[in-house]
Amino acid sequence: MSATSVSSQLARLLSRSARLATPATARMSARASARHISTTRAVARSAAGLRVNNTVAPVSGLARQYSSKSYPDHQLVGMPALSPTMTQGNVGQWQKSVGDKIEPGDVLVEIETDKAQMDFEFQEEGYLAKILAPTGTKDLKIDSPVAIIVENEADVAAFADFSLDQAGSPASAPAPASSPAPVESAKVAAAPAAPAQTLQTAAEGDRIFASPLAKTLAREKGIDLAQVSGSGPRGRIVKSDIEGFAASKAAATSTAASAKSVEAASAPAPAAKKAAAAPAPAASAGFTDTPVTNMRKVIASRLTEAKSTIPHYYLTQNIKMDNVNKLRQSLNTAANGAYKLSVNDFVIKAAASALRDVPDVNSSWQGEFIRQHHHADIAVAAATPAGLITPIVKTCDAKGLRAISSDVRDLVARARANKLKPEEFQGGSFTISNLGMYGITSFSAIINPPHAAILSVGSTEPQLVIDPTAEKGFKSVDVMSVQLSADHRVVDGATGAQFLKAFKGYLENPLTLLL
Amino acid sequence: MLLGLSLRCRTGLGRLHLRRGIHHSPPPPKTLCYVSSCTDPYANLAFEDWILRNSDPESYVLYLWRNRPSIVIGRNQNPWKECNLALMAERDVVLARRSSGGGAVYHDLGNTNYTVVMPREAFARDMCAEMVAKALQDSDIPAYVNARHDVAVDGLKISGSAFKLTKLRAFHHGTMLIDADLTRLHGCLKSQAHDCIEAKGVASVPSPVVNLRDYSLSLDHSSFCDSVLRQFADTFALPSEATVVDTLSDPRTADERRRIQTWDWLYGQTPEFTHRFYRPFAWATVFALITARHGRITDASISTAESALQPPPGTRLLFADIAARLKDVRYHPSDISEGLMPFTDSDNPRASELCDWLVSNLSFPTV
C-alpha cells in the first residue's frame, strides 16, 4: 500500500519548521522566526502530547507492511534541515558508532552543505542501531534516511542486516519519522491536511485516473475512487492503492504514516496552494509579483522590437520658446473660455508644419518599400494608469491650434477612461512624447514602429544668454530642449537635421505657422 | 612588524572611537579581535577552534592569521586525491586539515586568513565576504563577492571561504591572496593519483586565482589586517581589545594543537574511497582495486583482466595472499612496506615485482 497520503508539501514544511523550532539544533533570529515559532511551537507542543502513544505505532506498522522480516520498533532518522534554505547535504564523520548510546543533544553526525560544516544533534534518547548513509555520501536530500535509532539496546543487533529496500520505496520510508517532531506534526497536520488530501485527489481534474483493475476492485469493495489517492504515474490509482485504502480504513489510523507517495510530488499544485496558506511564510517582505496585463505585454513586445530592430540615432536641438509663450498667452487671454492652448499644441502644430516641409520624415519603413504619408497624423504619447498609449491626432497639418488642442484633450481623456477605438491609436506617421510637465529636461524616446521618427520634448527652462543689446549684457531666455529619434533606414542625418531646423524655425517664429 | 601592527591597531582604534556604535541600535554587540603572531598552521587552527568553543555566545570575534607554506584541506576531503604529497614533501609544504567544509587551499606568508566568529543566528554566508570586499575597495581594489561566496577581482578568485556551525556559534573563515608564491603552489594541488582515486568526500572546485599584488603594490599583511579591522568595526562594533596572540605557546590550545597534527586527524578522517591502478608486467597486466576507509585499507583485490591470457600458475594464490596482507593496513609508507615485507624478500620474482609496484603506488609520503 502506498499509505494514505497527506499533502507532502504541507507535511514537509511543517516538519521542517517544527524541527527548526527545536531549540538546540537551530535557533533562528527573532525577525525570521517570529511567525514560524508561534505556529510551529504550537504544533510541536500539541505533537509532544501525542508523542508517547503515536511515535512508534505508525512506523512499525509501516515496517511490518514492507519487510519480510519484522523489525523491532525503531525510528528512521532522516537528513535534517539544519538551516532554512538547506535542501541537501553531504554526510560527514559519524560521531557515534552502531551500538552507542545517544543522549539528547549528542552530535550524531557532521553534515556538510555548500562549504558549511554543521553538527547534527539528535534530540532524543536511544541507541544507534544502523547507519544508512556512510561518511562521504554526497547530495543527500532532506529527509532521506541516514540512520536508525532504537529505544532498547537489545534491539540493536536485530538491525544488522537492515536495508532500505525492505522498507519499501525510499520516498515512503523516511516520511514517518525523520525525527519525532515531523511524525507528530504530520499527525497534527492530518486534520488540516485531510481537506488538502481531498483537494489533491479531487482537484486532479474532472477525471479520476485509475487502472481498470483498480476500478474493478474499488467497485467490489465499495470504495469511492474519489477518496483514494493514486501512487501510479501522474497520480493514477492502482490496485495497491485500493488495497491500502481498505486496510487503512480497517486500521482506522487515517494519518498513520505521513508517507509521501512517490507521486505525491506530481500533485503539488492544489496541495501547494494549501501549503502556501499554511503558516510557513515564503519571503514575503521585499517584493510583489503582478501578472503581466495585455497592455503591458503589447508595450513590451512593440518597444523591444523597436529598440532591437530599428537603427536609432538622435538629434538634439534647443529652442527658444519666448515667442511661443507670448503668443500663447495672448491667444489664451482672448479665448474667453472657448479654448485653452498649451505649449504642446504649438509643438504639435510646428511638427506638422515641419513634416510638410520635410516629407521624408513623415514616412514609415515597410520592409520592401518606404511609405511616405501625405498627411501628418501625429500620435501623442499619453500616460494612463494602465500604461503608455499613443492616441493619434489626424491631419494636424490641416488643423488649427484650437482644433488640435480640443482633439488632444478629448483623446487623452478617453484614453485614460480606456474608451479609444482601435483606429484612434493604431497608425499615424509621427509621434511626439512630452515629459516636460514631469520636469524632464531632455530624453531620448523609442520610436513606435512603423513610424520613422519620434520627437522627445522636455521642459522649458530659463537660460542666460549673452545679449550685447541688453543693459546688463545678458538676458534670460526660455529654452526647451527637444530630441529627434530617427530611423536611419528611412531618415538620414541630414534629413533629420533639416526637419529639426524647420521645427525650430516654426517654434521660434510661431507666426510662420500661419503660412 | 607585528608589534607595529598592534600599535597601528591601537592608534586605528583611537582614530575610530568616534564611530562607536554608529550602525547598531543599542546595545552594540560585544566584539573582539585577535591577531596571531605565529605562523604554525596547527597552532593557528587550534586557536580558531578555541575561539569558536570558548568565546561569549553573543560576541563577534575577528581573528587574523597567516601560515607558513601549507595546504589546508577541508573537513571531509581526501589528502591523497587533493594534494601531491611527494611534491609537498620536497618543497617543505605542510598538510593540515581544518574543521570547516569546502575544498583544499594553499597558504603561505603571502596569504592572510581572516575568521569571523559570530552567534549562530547571525550567520549569513555573504556577510563577511562583503565586509572583506569592502575592506579591499577601501584600498582601491575593485573586489566583489561572486556566486560561490568567494571574493574575486576581475573574474579571478582572490579569496576562498568556508564555514562551520555549531550549536551556539558559527564562523566564516577565508583566505586572502596578497602575495603568495603561486609557483610553489603550482603542482601541490594536483595529485598524481587524482584520477585513480574515487573519493566520497567533497571534491575541490578549482578556480583560477590571482594575487592582489597584481592590483596594488602597497597592500600587505598588516595593511590588509588594518582595513579588515576597520570594516569589522564598521559592520559590527568597535572591538574592545585587539590582542596579539602567540598561538604556538598558548597553553589553552595545546591539546587541540596536538590532536590536529596526528595521522588520525590528518589522514584518518578521510571518508571511504576506492583506489584503482594497473600495470602491465611482462607476464600479465595486473589491476589493483583498493578500498579504504579512515585511511585504512578495508579491502584489496588484485587481479588480471578477465580477457587476458591465463596468468602463470600460482599467481592467483599470490594475489590473494598479498590482498590479505594489505587488509587493515594504513595508507602510510612504513605500514605498507611493513605489511608487504614477507613478499618483497621472497624468492618469487613476480612477488617482489608486485610488491614494489604496490609499495610505490600506495606509499604516499606523510607531510
Side-chain angles (χ1 to χ4, degrees):
Chain A
M1 127 192 170
S2 85
T4 312
S5 308
V6 183
S7 155
S8 66
Q9 290 265 16
L10 184 58
R12 204 180 305 130
L13 272 166
L14 275 176
S15 70
R16 196 190 281 202
S17 358
R19 227 177 292 125
L20 289 174
T22 44
T25 10
R27 246 189 266 153
M28 292 165 65
S29 71
R31 229 180 321 128
S33 64
R35 260 173 285 172
H36 267 286
I37 299 240
S38 51
T39 46
T40 55
R41 282 234 177 100
V43 165
R45 241 181 274 125
S46 54
L50 297 167
R51 193 209 293 185
V52 172
N53 299 324
N54 296 308
T55 311
V56 175
V59 180
S60 56
L62 187 65
R64 219 182 293 129
Q65 227 113 33
Y66 285 103
S67 56
S68 49
K69 167 184 168 179
S70 88
Y71 287 97
D73 292 341
H74 61 277
Q75 197 177 355
L76 209 56
V77 180
M79 169 72 78
L82 293 171
S83 77
T85 50
M86 181 174 159
T87 52
Q88 61 184 31
N90 303 334
V91 178
Q93 300 295 333
W94 281 90
Q95 300 297 327
K96 296 279 178 192
S97 328
V98 172
D100 283 355
K101 181 162 193 347
I102 318 255
E103 303 283 343
D106 277 355
V107 177
L108 201 58
V109 62
E110 291 176 10
I111 304 289
E112 184 172 343
T113 161
D114 191 18
K115 301 198 276 193
Q117 187 77 12
M118 295 182 267
D119 294 334
F120 173 28
E121 290 172 5
F122 198 65
Q123 297 309 316
E124 305 219 328
E125 265 192 335
Y127 292 86
L128 181 58
K130 181 94 181 168
I131 293 177
L132 297 167
T135 299
T137 314
K138 283 200 260 210
D139 297 337
L140 214 53
K141 297 244 181 294
I142 301 284
D143 293 336
S144 307
V146 296
I148 294 192
I149 306 278
V150 291
E151 282 192 5
N152 309 314
E153 193 170 10
D155 294 336
V156 172
F159 287 89
D161 57 352
F162 182 92
S163 77
L164 276 173
D165 317 319
Q166 295 172 355
S169 64
S172 44
S178 326
S179 54
V183 180
E184 304 96 39
S185 69
K187 242 192 129 29
V188 176
Q197 182 207 326
T198 48
L199 202 66
Q200 179 180 309
T201 50
E204 288 286 34
D206 304 313
R207 290 185 52 200
I208 295 173
F209 292 93
S211 71
L213 182 55
K215 283 186 190 156
T216 321
L217 260 178
R219 223 192 342 259
E220 278 170 24
K221 298 196 187 214
I223 292 174
D224 180 11
L225 277 176
Q227 288 180 25
V228 185
S229 61
S231 67
R234 290 152 146 265
R236 209 161 187 255
I237 300 172
V238 290
K239 172 185 167 195
S240 42
D241 298 335
I242 302 288
E243 286 172 339
F245 188 78
S248 77
K249 261 173 59 175
T253 40
S254 61
T255 62
S258 62
K260 309 161 192 108
S261 67
V262 179
E263 267 51 62
S266 68
K273 287 210 189 78
K274 194 83 176 127
S284 49
F287 61 86
T288 323
D289 289 342
T290 324
V292 179
T293 61
N294 260 341
M295 188 178 202
R296 194 45 60 192
K297 274 189 204 157
V298 169
I299 293 175
S301 68
R302 279 180 52 78
L303 290 178
T304 311
E305 178 208 342
K307 200 72 188 185
S308 49
T309 56
I310 300 179
H312 283 68
Y313 72 95
Y314 309 94
L315 301 171
T316 320
Q317 190 57 278
N318 289 331
I319 300 170
K320 297 193 191 68
M321 295 296 282
D322 299 84
N323 292 338
V324 167
N325 283 336
K326 272 190 228 143
L327 183 57
R328 188 169 77 93
Q329 254 181 327
S330 65
L331 282 175
N332 279 340
T333 42
N336 287 331
Y339 57 84
K340 184 149 188 256
L341 298 175
S342 69
V343 173
N344 208 34
D345 302 326
F346 282 85
V347 168
I348 295 174
K349 184 68 191 166
S353 306
L355 283 174
R356 192 191 54 214
D357 291 352
V358 187
D360 282 347
V361 183
N362 196 13
S363 308
S364 53
W365 177 262
Q366 301 290 341
E368 296 299 312
F369 57 92
I370 293 175
R371 173 164 296 168
Q372 199 176 85
H373 301 269
H374 294 160
H375 299 288
D377 296 333
I378 296 184
V380 179
T384 69
L388 169 73
I389 197 160
T390 49
I392 301 164
V393 184
K394 304 259 191 234
T395 45
C396 291
D397 49 333
K399 283 186 182 156
L401 281 166
R402 185 171 165 171
I404 290 174
S405 175
S406 62
D407 276 359
V408 168
R409 225 179 286 267
D410 170 49
L411 284 168
V412 170
R414 280 193 292 130
R416 294 217 171 106
N418 211 6
K419 289 205 175 91
L420 284 176
K421 298 189 208 102
E423 63 267 18
E424 285 174 326
F425 60 87
Q426 283 167 356
S429 56
F430 189 81
T431 321
I432 296 182
S433 178
N434 192 333
L435 289 178
M437 69 281 254
Y438 297 101
I440 302 293
T441 47
S442 86
F443 67 106
S444 320
I446 303 175
I447 296 174
N448 260 329
H451 299 175
I454 181 170
L455 191 69
S456 323
V457 180
S459 61
T460 310
E461 306 282 333
Q463 263 184 32
L464 293 179
V465 292
I466 298 176
D467 181 17
T469 61
E471 183 197 345
K472 292 181 214 157
F474 60 85
K475 67 171 179 189
S476 166
V477 222
D478 284 338
V479 176
M480 178 177 79
S481 172
V482 301
Q483 226 180 81
L484 181 75
S485 312
D487 178 352
H488 209 296
R489 297 174 300 185
V490 181
V491 180
D492 286 350
T495 318
Q498 276 168 358
F499 169 86
L500 266 189
K501 185 169 169 198
F503 176 77
K504 177 177 166 131
Y506 283 119
L507 276 184
E508 288 187 344
N509 301 298
L511 292 174
T512 48
L513 287 171
L514 292 168
L515 298 169
Chain B
M1 195 242 339
L2 288 155
L3 193 55
L5 165 65
S6 62
L7 277 175
R8 223 171 294 153
C9 269
R10 272 179 227 128
T11 49
L13 293 181
R15 269 200 305 270
L16 293 171
H17 75 274
L18 293 166
R19 302 224 233 137
R20 188 185 290 270
I22 194 171
H23 292 284
H24 297 275
S25 47
K30 177 173 168 208
T31 52
L32 291 165
C33 175
Y34 293 103
V35 181
S36 168
S37 62
C38 162
T39 57
D40 178 46
Y42 307 113
N44 288 333
L45 284 168
F47 190 74
E48 188 187 53
D49 187 77
W50 179 87
I51 300 178
L52 179 71
R53 296 187 193 286
N54 292 284
S55 53
D56 182 336
E58 298 303 318
S59 68
Y60 292 78
V61 184
L62 176 69
Y63 174 42
L64 297 159
W65 43 296
R66 57 177 180 166
N67 294 330
R68 51 171 281 224
S70 44
I71 298 251
V72 182
I73 55 175
R75 177 70 179 87
N76 298 311
Q77 288 206 296
N78 186 320
W80 300 287
K81 185 176 168 104
E82 298 292 333
C83 328
N84 189 334
L85 293 163
L87 206 59
M88 283 166 68
E90 232 180 277
R91 295 182 184 167
D92 195 25
V93 177
V94 167
L95 177 75
R97 183 191 288 271
R98 57 177 188 269
S99 58
S100 64
V105 281
Y106 176 75
H107 288 184
D108 74 5
L109 291 176
N111 171 81
T112 304
N113 303 302
Y114 61 90
T115 307
V116 180
V117 187
M118 64 197 100
R120 170 87 188 236
E121 316 86 67
F123 175 70
R125 268 168 223 274
D126 281 340
M127 173 169 63
C128 300
E130 293 283 354
M131 179 185 88
V132 171
K134 258 187 244 158
L136 289 176
Q137 284 159 17
D138 283 346
S139 312
D140 275 334
I141 294 170
Y144 61 94
V145 181
N146 72 6
R148 282 185 57 82
H149 318 293
D150 296 329
V151 185
V153 175
D154 258 357
L156 294 164
K157 181 172 152 177
I158 46 163
S159 158
S161 290
F163 317 91
K164 179 152 169 77
L165 296 95
T166 62
K167 188 163 146 180
L168 297 170
R169 311 280 278 146
F171 76 59
H172 168 160
H173 63 190
T175 56
M176 185 54 66
L177 285 171
I178 299 176
D179 199 3
D181 188 349
L182 294 176
T183 48
R184 196 165 175 186
L185 150 69
H186 183 71
C188 286
L189 283 174
K190 206 169 288 187
S191 164
Q192 307 262 329
H194 180 89
D195 298 322
C196 308
I197 296 184
E198 241 172 69
K200 269 191 166 180
V202 168
S204 296
V205 175
S207 304
V209 295
V210 71
N211 275 320
L212 279 176
R213 179 63 64 226
D214 292 347
Y215 292 90
S216 163
L217 290 168
S218 60
L219 190 69
D220 66 350
H221 172 73
S222 35
S223 64
F224 175 71
C225 289
D226 276 348
S227 310
V228 174
L229 178 56
R230 251 197 305 274
Q231 210 56 48
F232 178 77
D234 273 354
T235 315
F236 303 109
L238 208 52
S240 48
E241 49 179 78
T243 335
V244 177
V245 184
D246 181 9
T247 51
L248 193 55
S249 58
D250 195 324
R252 304 173 286 199
T253 56
D255 288 335
E256 178 73 6
R257 270 202 308 275
R258 234 172 287 129
R259 183 184 80 97
I260 62 180
Q261 289 185 57
T262 59
W263 190 95
D264 273 334
W265 172 258
L266 291 173
Y267 298 92
Q269 287 290 310
T270 313
E272 195 172 79
F273 66 93
T274 47
H275 189 177
R276 282 169 226 267
F277 47 96
Y278 70 94
R279 177 157 167 208
F281 290 98
W283 34 277
T285 305
V286 184
F287 295 84
L289 169 61
I290 314 276
T291 320
R293 200 163 155 270
H294 294 324
R296 264 173 207 278
I297 299 178
T298 51
D299 188 65
S301 139
I302 304 173
S303 56
T304 52
E306 272 150 32
S307 55
L309 303 160
Q310 269 304 357
T315 42
R316 207 155 283 163
L317 213 60
L318 181 62
F319 292 161
D321 282 343
I322 296 183
R325 286 289 305 191
L326 281 175
K327 223 175 157 100
D328 250 1
V329 174
R330 297 191 309 172
Y331 254 68
H332 193 283
S334 55
D335 286 27
I336 301 271
S337 39
E338 203 186 294
L340 293 175
M341 186 89 81
F343 297 96
T344 41
D345 289 342
S346 81
D347 297 327
N348 188 339
R350 292 195 201 108
S352 43
E353 251 189 324
L354 274 173
C355 287
D356 286 339
W357 168 63
L358 284 170
V359 167
S360 67
N361 266 294
L362 295 175
S363 298
F364 296 84
T366 36
V367 190

